[in-house]
């Protein structure tokens, strides 16, 4: 069973009462999230939900010709697999690990049992789902009306909010695939940000050097999503306000919490985990 300090790494789990934790925690399994790992494909039958700790999961919509675009990202503020507790067994999206780290995995029957108690877990998950819908809707608006430069700024800020440091590992081709734009557009946008001293980009490693400037260059979409998320999940605002701005760290360092899960750590390799 994870200890309370380990559960603090995911803000949804951190806000559960002791009574709910006693029911849920014995079923949680800490799993490793590898870069590029596919948690599920569109149309798959879902078996688990995932509560990221220091990893980021991107949710993609895949077209018939294989092209895809990102519709939302999930990090330590949320959970992946909302379709399971919303009455469905499958989803139209693909879930892929965008940033390595860890996540707590919970079997679908356990999340559904707790959700159907109509208590605090249901309320928390519904509020999170609404925030995810807001992010998805704003992403659609941003992709339609704003420039690639602005979309890149929004994507960087959303990713940074879900990481402990200021570094990301992502190639321009991967970013272009998620934004649904041409790689050349991302190259130009990243080049502009680098010339302004906002980021440093080298061989797939992105370091954000000036976040305040990045926020000024971004469109309104990031602020809209952030405000709505903090309205629905007010504890996130408290966490952000209480967290001091420390020195840059390695955003891809594994958290040392696996030992708190008794005999249940799964070191998954690349591939589909259903």
């Amino acid at each position: 069973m994870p200890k309370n300090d380990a559960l603090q790494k995911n803000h949804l789990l951190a806000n559960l009462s002791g009574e709910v934790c006693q029911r849920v925690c014995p079923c949680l399994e800490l799993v490793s999230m590898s870069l590029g790992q596919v948690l599920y494909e569109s149309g798959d039958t879902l078996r688990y939900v995932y509560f990221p700790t220091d990893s980021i999961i991107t949710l993609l919509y895949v077209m018939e010709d294989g092209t895809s675009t990102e519709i939302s990202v999930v990090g330590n503020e949320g959970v992946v697999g909302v379709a399971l507790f919303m009455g469905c067994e499958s989803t139209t999206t693909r879930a892929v690990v965008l940033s390595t780290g860890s996540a707590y995995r919970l079997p679908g029957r356990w999340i559904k049992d707790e959700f159907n108690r109509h208590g605090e877990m249901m309320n928390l998950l519904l509020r999170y789902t609404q925030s995810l819908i807001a992010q998805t809707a704003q992403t659609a608006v941003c992709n339609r009306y704003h420039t690639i430069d602005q979309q890149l700024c929004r994507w960087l800020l959303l990713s940074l909010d879900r990481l402990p440091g200021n570094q990301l590992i992502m190639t321009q081709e991967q970013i272009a695939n998620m934004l649904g734009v041409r790689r050349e557009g991302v190259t130009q946008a990243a080049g502009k940000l680098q010339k302004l001293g906002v980021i440093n980009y080298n061989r797939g490693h992105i370091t954000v050097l000036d976040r305040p400037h990045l926020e000024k260059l971004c469109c309104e979409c990031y602020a809209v999503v952030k405000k709505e998320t903090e309205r629905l999940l007010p504890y996130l605002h408290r966490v952000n306000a209480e967290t001091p701005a420390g020195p840059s760290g390695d955003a891809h360092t594994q958290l040392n919490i696996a030992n708190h899960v008794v005999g249940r750590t799964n070191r998954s390799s690349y591939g589909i985990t259903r």
Side-chain angles (χ1 to χ4, degrees):
M1 176 187 301
K3 293 184 178 180
N4 288 337
D5 56 346
L7 294 181
Q8 299 299 313
K9 303 302 181 181
N10 178 277
H11 301 312
L12 285 180
L13 296 178
N15 278 271
L16 296 177
S17 68
E19 178 184 352
V20 177
C21 281
Q22 286 182 354
R23 291 195 298 265
V24 174
C25 288
C27 311
L28 289 172
E29 176 185 2
L30 187 70
V31 295
S32 177
M33 299 281 102
S34 303
L35 183 64
Q37 179 182 345
V38 180
L39 301 183
Y40 56 76
E41 287 281 9
S42 172
D44 283 350
T45 298
L46 304 184
R47 296 173 54 198
Y48 302 97
V49 293
Y50 298 84
F51 296 89
T53 55
D54 57 344
S55 58
I56 298 179
I57 314 300
T58 178
L59 303 182
L60 304 165
Y61 189 88
V62 184
M63 304 296 288
E64 289 184 355
D65 62 1
T67 58
S68 62
T69 185
E70 182 180 83
I71 58 174
S72 55
V73 292
V74 182
N76 59 7
E77 87 293 353
V79 60
V80 177
V82 298
L84 261 174
F85 54 80
M86 293 298 289
C88 302
E89 297 296 332
S90 64
T91 179
T92 58
T93 60
R94 170 192 289 166
V96 182
V97 177
L98 179 64
S99 179
T100 60
S102 302
Y104 283 113
R105 187 170 72 177
L106 183 66
R109 65 186 182 91
W110 288 101
I111 193 71
K112 287 190 286 187
D113 286 348
E114 191 61 42
F115 187 87
N116 290 334
R117 289 177 182 269
H118 303 287
E120 63 174 271
M121 176 70 96
M122 183 188 75
N123 181 62
L124 194 62
L125 291 176
L126 286 178
R127 293 176 75 87
Y128 171 71
T129 301
Q130 180 61 32
S131 74
L132 194 65
I133 292 172
Q135 183 191 156
T136 301
Q138 200 66 38
T139 297
V141 172
C142 189
N143 291 345
R144 173 64 178 84
Y145 289 105
H146 296 142
T147 66
I148 296 178
D149 296 24
Q150 292 171 316
Q151 292 178 46
L152 177 60
C153 291
R154 171 184 56 82
W155 181 84
L156 288 171
L157 289 168
L158 287 174
S159 298
L160 283 181
D161 285 348
R162 292 157 174 82
L163 291 172
N166 65 339
Q167 300 177 32
L168 302 93
I169 299 178
M170 185 65 51
T171 67
Q172 292 180 358
E173 183 174 359
Q174 290 170 319
I175 296 173
N177 288 337
M178 283 185 294
L179 295 180
V181 300
R182 294 174 59 85
R183 177 181 176 181
E184 292 78 8
V186 173
T187 300
Q188 292 177 2
K192 292 176 184 177
L193 292 177
Q194 184 151 275
K195 286 181 181 179
L196 291 171
V198 176
I199 68 170
N200 180 57
Y201 185 85
N202 184 34
R203 296 175 181 265
H205 288 73
I206 304 173
T207 303
V208 176
L209 306 174
D210 190 345
R211 175 164 181 149
H213 196 179
L214 184 64
E215 292 183 0
K216 289 181 180 179
L217 294 172
C218 188
C219 54
E220 71 221 52
C221 295
Y222 168 71
V224 169
V225 172
K226 186 177 180 65
K227 181 178 180 180
E228 181 67 358
T229 299
E230 291 180 346
R231 182 186 72 83
L232 292 164
L233 307 172
Y235 56 81
L236 283 180
H237 180 70
R238 296 197 302 271
V239 169
N240 292 335
E242 294 169 0
T243 302
S248 300
D250 180 4
H252 304 282
T253 300
Q254 294 282 348
L255 293 174
N256 185 25
I257 59 176
N259 291 333
H260 295 312
V261 183
V262 181
R264 296 177 63 85
T265 301
N266 172 32
R267 299 298 178 186
S268 301
S269 58
Y270 287 74
I272 300 176
T273 306
R274 292 194 285 266

PDB file of all heavy atoms in Angstrom, residues 107-119:
ATOM      1  N   PRO A 107      -7.100  -0.892 -11.311  1.00  0.00           N
ATOM      2  CA  PRO A 107      -8.000  -1.677 -12.171  1.00  0.00           C
ATOM      3  C   PRO A 107      -9.357  -1.006 -12.325  1.00  0.00           C
ATOM      4  O   PRO A 107      -9.875  -0.377 -11.392  1.00  0.00           O
ATOM      5  CB  PRO A 107      -8.122  -3.008 -11.417  1.00  0.00           C
ATOM      6  CG  PRO A 107      -6.868  -3.108 -10.615  1.00  0.00           C
ATOM      7  CD  PRO A 107      -6.565  -1.705 -10.197  1.00  0.00           C
ATOM      8  N   GLY A 108      -9.942  -1.168 -13.506  1.00  0.00           N
ATOM      9  CA  GLY A 108     -11.188  -0.497 -13.820  1.00  0.00           C
ATOM     10  C   GLY A 108     -12.323  -0.810 -12.866  1.00  0.00           C
ATOM     11  O   GLY A 108     -13.111   0.065 -12.507  1.00  0.00           O
ATOM     12  N   ARG A 109     -12.429  -2.060 -12.411  1.00  0.00           N
ATOM     13  CA  ARG A 109     -13.550  -2.423 -11.540  1.00  0.00           C
ATOM     14  C   ARG A 109     -13.484  -1.699 -10.206  1.00  0.00           C
ATOM     15  O   ARG A 109     -14.523  -1.392  -9.599  1.00  0.00           O
ATOM     16  CB  ARG A 109     -13.604  -3.932 -11.335  1.00  0.00           C
ATOM     17  CG  ARG A 109     -12.433  -4.544 -10.600  1.00  0.00           C
ATOM     18  CD  ARG A 109     -12.538  -6.072 -10.583  1.00  0.00           C
ATOM     19  NE  ARG A 109     -11.449  -6.693  -9.831  1.00  0.00           N
ATOM     20  CZ  ARG A 109     -11.531  -6.975  -8.536  1.00  0.00           C
ATOM     21  NH1 ARG A 109     -12.627  -6.696  -7.872  1.00  0.00           N
ATOM     22  NH2 ARG A 109     -10.520  -7.544  -7.908  1.00  0.00           N
ATOM     23  N   TRP A 110     -12.260  -1.392  -9.748  1.00  0.00           N
ATOM     24  CA  TRP A 110     -12.114  -0.694  -8.469  1.00  0.00           C
ATOM     25  C   TRP A 110     -12.510   0.773  -8.598  1.00  0.00           C
ATOM     26  O   TRP A 110     -13.161   1.328  -7.711  1.00  0.00           O
ATOM     27  CB  TRP A 110     -10.683  -0.829  -7.956  1.00  0.00           C
ATOM     28  CG  TRP A 110     -10.364  -2.195  -7.458  1.00  0.00           C
ATOM     29  CD1 TRP A 110      -9.671  -3.172  -8.109  1.00  0.00           C
ATOM     30  CD2 TRP A 110     -10.752  -2.763  -6.207  1.00  0.00           C
ATOM     31  NE1 TRP A 110      -9.587  -4.305  -7.357  1.00  0.00           N
ATOM     32  CE2 TRP A 110     -10.242  -4.084  -6.169  1.00  0.00           C
ATOM     33  CE3 TRP A 110     -11.476  -2.286  -5.111  1.00  0.00           C
ATOM     34  CZ2 TRP A 110     -10.443  -4.923  -5.079  1.00  0.00           C
ATOM     35  CZ3 TRP A 110     -11.669  -3.121  -4.018  1.00  0.00           C
ATOM     36  CH2 TRP A 110     -11.159  -4.423  -4.013  1.00  0.00           C
ATOM     37  N   ILE A 111     -12.110   1.401  -9.702  1.00  0.00           N
ATOM     38  CA  ILE A 111     -12.476   2.812  -9.873  1.00  0.00           C
ATOM     39  C   ILE A 111     -13.982   2.935 -10.072  1.00  0.00           C
ATOM     40  O   ILE A 111     -14.620   3.880  -9.587  1.00  0.00           O
ATOM     41  CB  ILE A 111     -11.691   3.468 -11.046  1.00  0.00           C
ATOM     42  CG1 ILE A 111     -11.836   4.985 -11.017  1.00  0.00           C
ATOM     43  CG2 ILE A 111     -12.141   2.938 -12.393  1.00  0.00           C
ATOM     44  CD1 ILE A 111     -11.104   5.642  -9.906  1.00  0.00           C
ATOM     45  N   LYS A 112     -14.589   1.963 -10.762  1.00  0.00           N
ATOM     46  CA  LYS A 112     -16.038   2.008 -10.971  1.00  0.00           C
ATOM     47  C   LYS A 112     -16.794   1.763  -9.663  1.00  0.00           C
ATOM     48  O   LYS A 112     -17.812   2.425  -9.393  1.00  0.00           O
ATOM     49  CB  LYS A 112     -16.447   0.981 -12.039  1.00  0.00           C
ATOM     50  CG  LYS A 112     -16.051   1.399 -13.447  1.00  0.00           C
ATOM     51  CD  LYS A 112     -16.657   0.502 -14.506  1.00  0.00           C
ATOM     52  CE  LYS A 112     -15.984  -0.840 -14.570  1.00  0.00           C
ATOM     53  NZ  LYS A 112     -16.475  -1.650 -15.726  1.00  0.00           N
ATOM     54  N   ASP A 113     -16.301   0.832  -8.858  1.00  0.00           N
ATOM     55  CA  ASP A 113     -16.956   0.569  -7.569  1.00  0.00           C
ATOM     56  C   ASP A 113     -16.930   1.815  -6.687  1.00  0.00           C
ATOM     57  O   ASP A 113     -17.938   2.167  -6.059  1.00  0.00           O
ATOM     58  CB  ASP A 113     -16.257  -0.586  -6.849  1.00  0.00           C
ATOM     59  CG  ASP A 113     -16.581  -1.935  -7.471  1.00  0.00           C
ATOM     60  OD1 ASP A 113     -17.513  -1.996  -8.301  1.00  0.00           O
ATOM     61  OD2 ASP A 113     -15.884  -2.919  -7.146  1.00  0.00           O
ATOM     62  N   GLU A 114     -15.774   2.482  -6.643  1.00  0.00           N
ATOM     63  CA  GLU A 114     -15.656   3.676  -5.802  1.00  0.00           C
ATOM     64  C   GLU A 114     -16.490   4.818  -6.370  1.00  0.00           C
ATOM     65  O   GLU A 114     -17.133   5.562  -5.623  1.00  0.00           O
ATOM     66  CB  GLU A 114     -14.181   4.088  -5.694  1.00  0.00           C
ATOM     67  CG  GLU A 114     -13.896   5.152  -4.652  1.00  0.00           C
ATOM     68  CD  GLU A 114     -14.278   4.695  -3.243  1.00  0.00           C
ATOM     69  OE1 GLU A 114     -14.013   3.530  -2.880  1.00  0.00           O
ATOM     70  OE2 GLU A 114     -14.860   5.534  -2.505  1.00  0.00           O
ATOM     71  N   PHE A 115     -16.483   4.959  -7.676  1.00  0.00           N
ATOM     72  CA  PHE A 115     -17.274   6.007  -8.322  1.00  0.00           C
ATOM     73  C   PHE A 115     -18.763   5.802  -8.034  1.00  0.00           C
ATOM     74  O   PHE A 115     -19.497   6.775  -7.763  1.00  0.00           O
ATOM     75  CB  PHE A 115     -17.017   5.974  -9.829  1.00  0.00           C
ATOM     76  CG  PHE A 115     -17.643   7.112 -10.594  1.00  0.00           C
ATOM     77  CD1 PHE A 115     -16.961   8.314 -10.750  1.00  0.00           C
ATOM     78  CD2 PHE A 115     -18.905   6.985 -11.162  1.00  0.00           C
ATOM     79  CE1 PHE A 115     -17.543   9.367 -11.460  1.00  0.00           C
ATOM     80  CE2 PHE A 115     -19.481   8.022 -11.863  1.00  0.00           C
ATOM     81  CZ  PHE A 115     -18.801   9.223 -12.016  1.00  0.00           C
ATOM     82  N   ASN A 116     -19.223   4.560  -8.064  1.00  0.00           N
ATOM     83  CA  ASN A 116     -20.640   4.255  -7.879  1.00  0.00           C
ATOM     84  C   ASN A 116     -21.105   4.370  -6.434  1.00  0.00           C
ATOM     85  O   ASN A 116     -22.295   4.170  -6.142  1.00  0.00           O
ATOM     86  CB  ASN A 116     -20.950   2.857  -8.420  1.00  0.00           C
ATOM     87  CG  ASN A 116     -20.861   2.794  -9.937  1.00  0.00           C
ATOM     88  OD1 ASN A 116     -21.044   3.795 -10.618  1.00  0.00           O
ATOM     89  ND2 ASN A 116     -20.545   1.623 -10.462  1.00  0.00           N
ATOM     90  N   ARG A 117     -20.198   4.681  -5.526  1.00  0.00           N
ATOM     91  CA  ARG A 117     -20.594   4.978  -4.150  1.00  0.00           C
ATOM     92  C   ARG A 117     -21.227   6.363  -4.051  1.00  0.00           C
ATOM     93  O   ARG A 117     -21.802   6.718  -3.024  1.00  0.00           O
ATOM     94  CB  ARG A 117     -19.383   4.904  -3.219  1.00  0.00           C
ATOM     95  CG  ARG A 117     -18.843   3.500  -2.981  1.00  0.00           C
ATOM     96  CD  ARG A 117     -17.598   3.537  -2.115  1.00  0.00           C
ATOM     97  NE  ARG A 117     -17.036   2.211  -1.916  1.00  0.00           N
ATOM     98  CZ  ARG A 117     -17.351   1.404  -0.903  1.00  0.00           C
ATOM     99  NH1 ARG A 117     -18.231   1.830   0.006  1.00  0.00           N
ATOM    100  NH2 ARG A 117     -16.806   0.221  -0.790  1.00  0.00           N
ATOM    101  N   HIS A 118     -21.070   7.161  -5.130  1.00  0.00           N
ATOM    102  CA  HIS A 118     -21.631   8.505  -5.200  1.00  0.00           C
ATOM    103  C   HIS A 118     -21.129   9.392  -4.054  1.00  0.00           C
ATOM    104  O   HIS A 118     -21.883  10.193  -3.503  1.00  0.00           O
ATOM    105  CB  HIS A 118     -23.167   8.459  -5.199  1.00  0.00           C
ATOM    106  CG  HIS A 118     -23.736   7.640  -6.314  1.00  0.00           C
ATOM    107  ND1 HIS A 118     -23.739   8.068  -7.621  1.00  0.00           N
ATOM    108  CD2 HIS A 118     -24.291   6.399  -6.315  1.00  0.00           C
ATOM    109  CE1 HIS A 118     -24.282   7.134  -8.385  1.00  0.00           C
ATOM    110  NE2 HIS A 118     -24.617   6.107  -7.625  1.00  0.00           N
ATOM    111  N   GLY A 119     -19.864   9.231  -3.740  1.00  0.00           N
ATOM    112  CA  GLY A 119     -19.255  10.014  -2.675  1.00  0.00           C
ATOM    113  C   GLY A 119     -18.209  10.983  -3.184  1.00  0.00           C
ATOM    114  O   GLY A 119     -18.297  11.502  -4.301  1.00  0.00           O
TER     115      GLY A 119
END
